[in-house]
């Protein structure tokens, strides 16, 4: 998987400005994961959000329109080879059906939306080794009958 | 994807006993998602856990050994077709790289373990439509250098 | 693709009872496409819907629980080989990106839901040859920012 | 999926001219979806249509021959990763066989043409959230016997 | 690829009755290739055709309904391994684009129908070795504009 | 599938010279399909054939050696997405086994050669819509026993 | 890859009769590799060959027709996992293009037939370790021009 | 499959020098197939071999290091589309298991090495059409037990 | 991946006899990994080894011949989904090329044999958590030139 | 698989400096395999490690940041075609399940970490031919229950 050129430019500028995603969270008023998704062109910014980001990163204003365009989404191979990303594939393979059972028991026939959806990443200090905490919240969409 | 026979037996018994996963959570002292993973033979029970479950479900004690065996894990096709499960694949496709960036910024080069790992599913009441809340917690494993 | 046994039983019963999907539409108060989806276990019925259907088809009441269970969805190979079904794959290959452009221009960044969704099939008489009219209606889901 | 260069040029010109697909529909006398398909080189224009479009977009006349050539059709990966386009794949996976049953009941053994075919996208206002309405109309082609 | 049971039954009966496809062509008034397609459940017979065939093969009348049902079409793996069938895949790989060029030059943008379609197989005597002659005739379907 | 550069050059030159494949057939004394295969570098020309073609197309003589080289053959994806080419894949999926039965009945165990092979494309006028007629003739090769 | 039942029956009978393929070579007058291909139903026997084999193996005469039928050919997965068979895949991957260059230099544009083809396996004694010698002989088929 | 640039340079130089692989065999003292494998960077030359080849082809000495480097091996797609190369894939599909049976009978459980391995291509004159003779010789490697 | 029936029988018998692989190592004089490979029918036993194993497991002597047969090797899907086995796939993806560089620097152009090969699994006590130690030893096979 | 540009630069510099991986091991105080992984951008260096390496290789200091960045990991195709690397795939196919059995017997349900992991490559002199010895050591991670 080669990382898109625009993503590389954004990441390099962020590095040059010595900004963390948390810093950008404070500047944009958007979660750091969403901002990282914007970097990878998996999300689209409003004019204002794009302007704030471009300024913070010291990029040319012409970059604004790259960030407001609606992207073609989905990155990487069918089965990811990067170990960090693969673990999410593995979670889906191992816990996908169990999650389905529990969601259906609690909500009925339907799905968790991946569009009306938020995702947070936190660091949990733990004496036995820090932990990554991921919180997803997606609207439950019941299957419509017609 | 055909569901394994033992899973069908367990699900049917749970239905016949009118037990929810939450009820089993109270009986076993294990999270409902973990128990659902046990149903799908993606996790292995201790003797005691297996005994409690088999009794609660009114199954023959011979089922105990099925539940304590260490399973071959991973269910379903390479890209899942079930919409509920697919959304987790989509989350990995769309947010996988952004999550990687944020985790690496917070923790360094490494991964979130999918083994030293817990996963909860909750129902969040919301006037605009209830939400599914998924919380994952995995130990951060830094890449060892040698 | 082998058709699931329950689907074959339902189709055979419908044939034996000389009922069309339109007849079942009248009996159940649900669209014929939705009923066909229920036959293929891609949708789940309420107790009452299942009872009505099982009676209409002259099947044993034990079939009711098969129809109310929440199914694992998605049928057939990755690329369908059946010509009728393949044409929908082809439409997605040829018109997928153009549809995306038009939807995004009209609605912004988001998707058409395939869950809060209805689909109708109609026959349009045409002197040059009858036409199949398919009408899909899905709720627009804008990408949530967080 | 990288979008072809000609498509990017056309989309950029359309943006620069502040034209919507609906505006182009009025200029060309062709449906906006068909025009979007032309942008993605999934359809071919007549000389006259190409001339009208090139003028409207303020492009060099040399672009005309790009638009009249007969394209190699089909875009994107085997299973689309973009969520908007994936939903059409999901509809085929979930509702493909049910649609086949209903079409065959109404028409006999055959298919809906994807060539003698039209597709419209409309916005349906709805208090619970606007809806995307897609209408497909394809000639029914009965299997010829010989 | 395992051959479907019904196909095996039909082929065995044909062998037992010492009938060739050419004999069946005379009995049914249908081409031998179409009849072979019926054997493989890739085509559907009328009541009358099915009756004639079942009688000719000395099978039970209950087989009639198997032959009139509308089949799920497409047989074998994505890339066929059988050398005889693979050659048709190879012809598509090697001559597909050249054929496309020639058809488009003669007819414009469109396709040869595989539904309004006939296919014949003949033996051409040749002193250097007999030849297989395959004749396909499919209606040209021009791309509809809308 | 991106079309090789040499193919684009040849097609453009043919267009600029306002020559049809039928015109080239007259000039080279080879069938138009074979010439189209040469354009796509799926066939190799003799010195003389290459010279005639290069002259007719007004190209530089240096192109001759490109046309006489023996090509690596096979174009496009595993399952073609272009609808015109896909129909040949569909014909192989639907009629492959029936054709195998009929060829074997007429010739014994063996194959139709795709090397000692010719293919013609003709336009058949038909009041119900013109038809594409494809005639393939391949030497029958019986399986050698040893 | 599960080995077909008939193959297992033939191999078991051969073992029970304590016959080697070389013994069968003497009985049938066919090469041992061809006979092994017949065992795996990749080749078809004449009535007489089948009778000789069935007698030698002490099987019921009803097996004769299994051996004279024309088989669907090709065994095992797309990329073989068995190490012995994989090496032939590897030879094709590593030496395929070099072989193509050498054959084309010696013969022109064309192929080695895999139908008018023989294959022998011999044991070559070698002090540094015995060697497997495989000899293939296939008719050269030049590409026909038309 | 695009042929690597270095391979094209080597083939062009060989053509310009009007040398056959047989000529190079005489110059290098290596088999023509091995030399063709070196051209495709599937084998690595000694300094001396590389020097001899570079001189014979009239190339710059800087090419020597390209030929002595140890290559990443394996060329072309998973299933080859080129008909000449595909036939070797077909031979593996059709005769792989039969060869395995015969080798195991003669040698025991193990494989034919594809590393301690030679491969020759010869032209056999035959009045019914010349034949390609391929001789492979690989060391038998018995499975080690431990 | 369903585990073969014979493997299940062997594993069950081992469990019933309360034998560890280490116990079987002592009985057979073969490494526990090799014995586990025999259980999964990835290795073949001598008559004597099979007899010892069958006796130790209390199985019927008829099992001997199952264990001495030469198996078709390779288990599981193309990319393994079981997390324990997947890690070996990941090691190959991440460290495959680096290992290749180091082996080639130490040995020259060639491979580590997977046939003349042993593999051990040990438990290393470690206060920070026990470690799995895997030791592979394979004969280096230099590429033969010819 | 094309090798990334940075890897080629590093390998070329190492060659120009006539350094072995063992030399670099002495300079960096890291294992040669880990250093080779760094070359292939499968591992990330500390500032100091990167500085040492860049100096040793005589590269521009600007290369430092390439080596400290956290890479996207995983190289090469789904099934590797290079014979040296493929053997590791084969080991996973043939010995994956047996290893799983032995690890689980020794440790319980869990995995060997590929992150808290080291890998060594050694040359074992052997009169019958030198051997490659690979030693992997990964922390055992037991499945957490929750």
């Amino acid at each position: 998987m080669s990382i898109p050129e625009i993503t590389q430019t954004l990441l390099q500028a962020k590095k040059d400005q010595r900004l963390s995603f948390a810093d950008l969270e404070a500047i944009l008023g958007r979660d750091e994961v969403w901002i990282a998704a914007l970097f990878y062109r998996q999300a689209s910014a409003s004019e204002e959000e794009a302007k704030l980001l471009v300024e913070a990163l010291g990029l040319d204003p012409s970059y604004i329109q790259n960030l407001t365009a609606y992207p073609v989404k989905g990155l990487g191979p069918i089965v990811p080879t990067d170990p960090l990303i693969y673990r999410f594939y593995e979670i889906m393979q191992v816990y996908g059906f169990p999650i389905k059972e529990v969601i259906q028991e609690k909500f009925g026939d339907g799905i968790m939306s991946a569009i009306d959806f938020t995702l947070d990443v936190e660091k949990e200090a733990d004496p036995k080794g820090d932990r990554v905490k991921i919180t997803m919240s997606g609207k439950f969409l019941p299957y419509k009958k017609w």
Side-chain angles (χ1 to χ4, degrees), chain A residues 100-145:
Chain A
K100 180 176 159 75
E101 282 294 339
V102 173
I103 289 178
Q104 287 175 348
E105 191 182 270
K106 286 181 195 284
F107 294 87
D109 199 4
I111 67 158
M112 176 183 78
S113 179
I115 309 295
D116 187 339
F117 174 79
T118 67
L119 189 157
D120 289 283
V121 174
E122 284 161 274
K123 187 174 190 164
E124 284 187 319
D126 188 311
K128 280 181 279 176
D130 293 347
R131 296 183 77 79
V132 182
K133 185 178 169 191
I134 304 230
T135 313
M136 300 173 177
S137 167
K139 192 179 180 183
F140 179 73
L141 304 178
Y143 262 98
K144 188 183 182 71
K145 293 178 179 184

Side-chain angles (χ1 to χ4, degrees), chain A residues 11-132:
Chain A
L11 289 172
Q12 189 60 48
K14 166 174 167 294
K15 199 175 175 182
D16 294 344
Q17 304 288 338
R18 296 176 182 279
L19 290 165
S20 67
F21 283 114
D23 295 333
L24 293 173
E25 186 171 318
I27 293 168
L28 265 77
R30 290 278 172 224
D31 188 85
E32 58 190 350
V33 176
W34 184 84
I35 296 168
L38 185 59
F39 270 52
Y40 275 92
R41 299 303 296 112
Q42 301 294 303
S44 55
S46 68
E47 277 290 319
E48 193 181 10
E49 289 159 351
K51 207 175 291 178
L52 283 169
L53 182 57
V54 163
E55 277 168 21
L57 296 176
L59 292 171
D60 192 86
S62 67
Y63 266 87
I64 289 171
Q65 84 168 85
N66 285 320
L67 297 171
T68 56
Y70 301 158
V72 178
K73 299 177 188 79
L75 274 174
I78 294 172
V79 177
T81 61
D82 182 80
L84 188 150
I85 299 175
Y86 179 80
R87 295 307 180 269
F88 291 92
Y89 183 81
E90 185 172 304
I91 289 165
M92 178 210 80
Q93 275 279 343
V94 174
Y95 297 108
F97 276 88
I99 291 171
K100 180 176 159 75
E101 282 294 339
V102 173
I103 289 178
Q104 287 175 348
E105 191 182 270
K106 286 181 195 284
F107 294 87
D109 199 4
I111 67 158
M112 176 183 78
S113 179
I115 309 295
D116 187 339
F117 174 79
T118 67
L119 189 157
D120 289 283
V121 174
E122 284 161 274
K123 187 174 190 164
E124 284 187 319
D126 188 311
K128 280 181 279 176
D130 293 347
R131 296 183 77 79
V132 182

